[in-house]
Amino acid sequence: MARHMLFGVLAALPAAQAAFYLPGVAPKSYTTRDKVPLFVNKVTSTKTQLPYSYYDLPFCRPKHAKQASENLGEVLEGDMIKSSLYEIEMKVPDGCKILCKKNHNKADMRLFRSIIDDEYRIDWIIDNLPGAMRNEEYDYVTRGFPVGFVAPPAFEGGRKMHFLYNHVRIVLKYHEDFAAFKGARIVGFQIIPFSINHMWDRMEDFDEYTTTLSTCNEMSPAVNDPGNFQSVEESDEVIYTYDVKWVPSDITWAHRWDVYLKGNPDDEIHYFSIVNSLMIVLFLTGVVAMIMLRTLRKDITTYNEMQTLEEAQEESGWKLVHGDVFRAPETSPMLLSVLAGTGAQIFMMTGCSMVFAILGFLSPANRGGLLTAILLLFVFMGSFAGYYAARLYKLFGGKEWKRNTILTATLFPTVVFGIFLVLDCLLYYEGASTAVPFSTLVALILLWFGISLPLVLIGSYFGFKKDAFEVPVRTNQIARHIPEQMWYTHPAFAVALGGILPFGAVCIELFFIMSALWLHQIYYVFGFLMIVLFILIATCAEITIVMCYFQLCNEDYHWWWRSFLSSGSAAGYLFLYSIWYFYSKLEITGVVSSAIYFGYMFVIALAFFLLTGCIGFWACFWFVRKIYGAIKVD
């Protein structure tokens, strides 16, 4: 019963988001014969991960293509939204309208063949809706349409042949409700591509406006004829044409994105898997919590009931190290405080991003919104990094507060920016549209040094002004000797073991996130992602607390770094998972494409390391303060 209720709540989340679909965006209504602009964006491939501008290919283009204004996220994602030659009027159908005639040389055709081999897809936009192809069998759509196709080996006597889609049928759905608004609203954008070697009367001069094609015209609609496909094997002239078809629809404007978010039929497995994963993790959480509470209560009661000196001298376990448990780590206490502070910054950024996503602000209709929000929220959460890094460093007795503050503000961003700069140079060399222009790099640097750095300084100032974290026991002047440990309590084993459960909690959801990142699918089940985040927090906190408890029971008080690394090691499993995903699910070819994949996955794994490590560390710090505050220490 509980499972069905939970599933019902999760299923209702997308509907709740649709109720106030995308704050700040108003629908646009068109009257009959209003101009409906078609914008071209980019061509993308899951095999190369190198998007190019639409006009990098020798397609028909206006003399002065107008560039649409783009936000930071769109620029970083490689969007190149520009005007086109396509002329579309509201509710006015067109049949086989000529766009232009191009004489393609051998270099153009070679480029087309390469693009077709790499399975590039074209991205068009009308009224902020991406063009899509519909799969009638499974009733779902895939964004974009292919540049062309390769004939099966049996075709043309077994020779590999490349053909270009030079004709498109643009199917636009519109919704009218005269009681609610005037005009009509576009609620669907479907593309049906054709490959046609166009013919016309060669005795007449070709004119885009007056020439009538024999292969398709207003009286004879376009069809895919295997004997008359447009080949790109040799230099040739190609005529580009298009149809426009208007279809009335009952779909409302607020629900026009539903068909894109539906995804493919395999996504149904995702819903049941995540619910089952949630149940298992919650059960494990309850079991771990019960064991810890019963064991700890018994330990605390035993320690507090010790009456005689002999009993006190015979004490063993975690109470024995009370004089050393809050001793500052011997290895890089400043680095640990910086990592814990940066992790707190990423944690706050993640939480705020999830809230905005649940409220619908990061809808896919808001192109580039998610990436923009992540960047800005990370920048604005800099004060949390400075504050917690400063307070922790002060607890460790650190004196170099300036160095600590600068490291907190620059360490993680410098690593990420360095990797980003190297990848950007590779993208620029390849001519990809994701190569970030110099002006955007300057904007990113200004965000870093103009906003993030001052906020870290402010947070650090208040952190150092505030009293250090209170600890319930005093630290002895002389460090206690740690007895020899068993092999299974070795730090390396404990760290490797600690990341398994947190990674297991997110691995199912990770598959769908990776598909959205690298297979160009839309990810919009933020309700599930929020629950997975809660699961991740619980598992990171509890696995670290349990392992820390066993470590202290073995009289080993070096828990500071181990608490961070044991839950943070989940990032190592994430990176190993990305390697498996690369070889088993992707068809990426080329050194540059592989470098881009592993470069960005390393950045994601690094951020995940700081997030999970931070959760485990602060949970363990809270736990150690609690248990040592509950016992009587002379």
Side-chain angles (χ1 to χ4, degrees):
M1 181 64 182
R3 174 179 168 177
H4 290 298
M5 289 177 64
L6 179 62
F7 185 78
V9 171
L10 294 175
L13 282 171
Q17 292 166 355
F20 47 95
Y21 190 60
L22 179 61
V25 174
K28 184 175 182 179
S29 299
Y30 298 86
T31 57
T32 303
R33 289 200 170 275
D34 274 354
K35 297 289 185 182
V36 178
L38 185 152
F39 294 96
V40 297
N41 187 0
K42 58 186 176 183
V43 290
T44 59
S45 167
T46 58
K47 292 182 71 173
T48 67
Q49 301 297 331
L50 296 171
Y52 296 99
S53 171
Y54 178 80
Y55 291 129
D56 284 344
L57 301 182
F59 291 126
C60 308
R61 64 175 299 167
K63 290 182 179 179
H64 303 288
K66 295 180 181 178
Q67 174 86 34
S69 60
E70 297 177 347
N71 59 40
L72 180 60
E74 287 177 298
V75 174
L76 294 176
E77 289 174 0
D79 284 350
M80 301 284 283
I81 303 172
K82 296 180 179 180
S83 59
S84 71
L85 288 173
Y86 291 88
E87 296 178 353
I88 302 173
E89 295 180 344
M90 187 68 195
K91 295 169 66 175
V92 178
D94 265 321
C96 205
K97 192 171 183 178
I98 298 174
L99 187 69
C100 77
K101 180 168 73 77
K102 299 274 289 186
N103 291 310
H104 292 303
N105 55 31
K106 289 184 177 180
D108 289 346
M109 293 307 197
R110 194 183 308 116
L111 176 59
F112 275 132
R113 290 197 298 272
S114 174
I115 289 292
I116 292 169
D117 281 334
D118 287 330
E119 300 176 6
Y120 271 86
R121 297 178 72 87
I122 298 170
D123 184 13
W124 284 354
I125 302 166
I126 289 182
D127 195 41
N128 203 35
L129 275 180
M133 292 181 65
R134 176 175 290 277
N135 186 312
E136 299 293 347
E137 182 180 356
Y138 295 107
D139 190 30
Y140 78 96
V141 301
T142 53
R143 287 183 300 165
F145 65 97
V147 175
F149 66 97
V150 179
F155 195 81
E156 290 289 330
R159 184 185 172 190
K160 183 179 179 181
M161 297 286 288
H162 298 78
F163 298 98
L164 178 70
Y165 284 128
N166 60 319
H167 177 91
V168 290
R169 180 166 297 150
I170 300 169
V171 182
L172 293 166
K173 295 181 180 180
Y174 64 94
H175 176 70
E176 292 178 308
D177 186 352
F178 299 110
F181 56 88
K182 294 180 180 180
R185 294 174 178 174
I186 297 173
V187 294
F189 178 19
Q190 182 184 351
I191 298 171
I192 305 172
F194 297 84
S195 180
I196 305 173
N197 184 13
H198 284 300
M199 305 291 182
W200 81 96
D201 188 354
R202 299 277 178 168
M203 300 298 292
E204 299 179 1
D205 292 334
F206 181 86
D207 184 271
E208 296 174 2
Y209 301 101
T210 61
T211 297
T212 299
L213 302 174
S214 59
T215 42
C216 76
N217 49 63
E218 291 186 355
M219 304 302 294
S220 175
V223 292
N224 273 318
D225 179 6
N228 194 39
F229 286 151
Q230 178 60 61
S231 172
V232 290
E233 297 298 329
E234 302 292 340
S235 56
D236 194 7
E237 64 179 16
V238 177
I239 299 174
Y240 292 88
T241 55
Y242 65 100
D243 300 334
V244 179
K245 183 180 179 181
W246 291 93
V247 181
S249 174
D250 293 329
I251 299 172
T252 60
W253 188 89
H255 292 278
R256 64 180 190 160
W257 274 84
D258 291 357
V259 67
Y260 298 93
L261 306 182
K262 184 178 180 181
N264 65 59
D266 294 336
D267 285 0
E268 200 66 33
I269 302 169
H270 159 79
Y271 289 89
F272 294 103
S273 298
I274 200 66
V275 171
N276 289 330
S277 175
L278 175 64
M279 294 295 105
I280 293 170
V281 172
L282 287 177
F283 173 74
L284 289 174
T285 300
V287 170
V288 170
M290 196 164 22
I291 292 173
M292 293 300 299
L293 287 173
R294 290 187 62 184
T295 306
L296 273 176
R297 186 175 297 175
K298 182 179 178 182
D299 285 352
I300 291 170
T301 303
T302 303
Y303 289 145
N304 287 340
E305 288 178 352
M306 288 181 179
Q307 301 294 331
T308 65
L309 182 62
E310 290 77 9
E311 288 178 328
Q313 289 174 344
E314 291 174 2
E315 69 181 30
S316 62
W318 57 269
K319 188 185 177 184
L320 197 60
V321 295
H322 65 80
D324 300 276
V325 72
F326 291 106
R327 187 180 302 280
E330 296 177 354
T331 307
S332 304
M334 180 184 290
L335 179 60
L336 179 58
S337 66
V338 168
L339 296 181
T342 307
Q345 181 181 6
I346 294 175
F347 179 82
M348 294 302 298
M349 175 204 74
T350 305
C352 292
S353 299
M354 289 304 306
V355 171
F356 282 117
I358 290 291
L359 292 177
F361 285 93
L362 305 183
S363 158
N366 185 7
R367 201 179 303 273
L370 180 60
L371 187 54
T372 303
I374 288 174
L375 281 172
L376 293 180
L377 285 171
F378 178 81
V379 167
F380 289 124
M381 296 301 160
S383 55
F384 290 94
Y387 178 80
Y388 285 103
R391 291 204 68 187
L392 188 60
Y393 186 60
K394 190 173 183 179
L395 174 66
F396 293 157
K399 303 298 182 184
E400 299 180 67
W401 64 271
K402 291 181 182 178
R403 187 181 173 197
N404 177 263
T405 304
I406 297 300
L407 267 179
T408 305
T410 58
L411 182 61
F412 176 67
T414 299
V415 174
V416 173
F417 192 76
I419 294 172
F420 176 76
L421 205 57
V422 171
L423 295 179
D424 193 55
C425 291
L426 293 175
L427 290 167
Y428 183 80
Y429 174 77
E430 292 288 336
S433 65
T434 41
V436 176
F438 180 74
S439 58
T440 306
L441 286 176
V442 172
L444 291 173
I445 293 172
L446 288 176
L447 278 174
W448 181 9
F449 287 101
I451 300 177
S452 182
L453 181 60
L455 286 174
V456 172
L457 293 173
I458 292 171
S460 182
Y461 171 79
F462 285 104
F464 278 110
K465 292 288 286 184
K466 198 171 180 64
D467 294 336
F469 288 113
E470 292 184 5
V471 293
V473 290
R474 292 192 303 270
T475 300
N476 296 335
Q477 291 184 348
I478 301 175
R480 180 182 180 85
H481 173 71
I482 299 174
E484 187 176 349
Q485 301 292 304
M486 300 294 291
W487 66 270
Y488 52 81
T489 60
H490 191 275
F493 181 80
V495 167
L497 189 64
I500 294 176
L501 192 57
F503 173 75
V506 301
C507 66
I508 296 175
E509 200 69 19
L510 183 63
F511 176 84
F512 293 93
I513 294 173
M514 295 278 283
S515 297
L517 284 174
W518 302 110
L519 296 179
H520 303 162
Q521 299 175 7
I522 295 178
Y523 184 89
Y524 198 51
V525 283
F526 290 113
F528 285 100
L529 190 60
M530 177 69 87
I531 292 176
V532 169
L533 179 62
F534 288 144
I535 294 172
L536 179 67
I537 293 170
T539 50
C540 285
E542 293 196 359
I543 195 69
T544 309
I545 288 172
V546 169
M547 299 193 75
C548 179
Y549 174 73
F550 290 137
Q551 178 186 347
L552 294 175
C553 286
N554 287 318
E555 300 176 19
D556 182 357
Y557 51 83
H558 291 156
W559 63 272
W560 294 103
W561 269 108
R562 200 182 297 188
S563 65
F564 193 97
L565 296 175
S566 59
S567 57
S569 64
Y573 294 106
L574 186 150
F575 193 73
L576 290 175
Y577 178 87
S578 72
I579 296 174
W580 169 83
Y581 190 88
F582 178 84
Y583 287 106
S584 65
K585 299 297 179 183
L586 300 178
E587 299 178 1
I588 292 178
T589 56
V591 176
V592 173
S593 301
S594 302
I596 290 166
Y597 175 84
F598 286 110
Y600 283 127
M601 285 310 304
F602 178 78
V603 170
I604 292 171
L606 182 60
F608 193 69
F609 166 72
L610 294 171
L611 174 65
T612 52
C614 155
I615 294 169
F617 175 83
W618 290 109
C620 196
F621 182 52
W622 169 85
F623 169 74
V624 173
R625 290 174 67 192
K626 279 290 182 183
I627 63 172
Y628 283 96
I631 61 173
K632 299 174 184 176
V633 179
D634 296 332

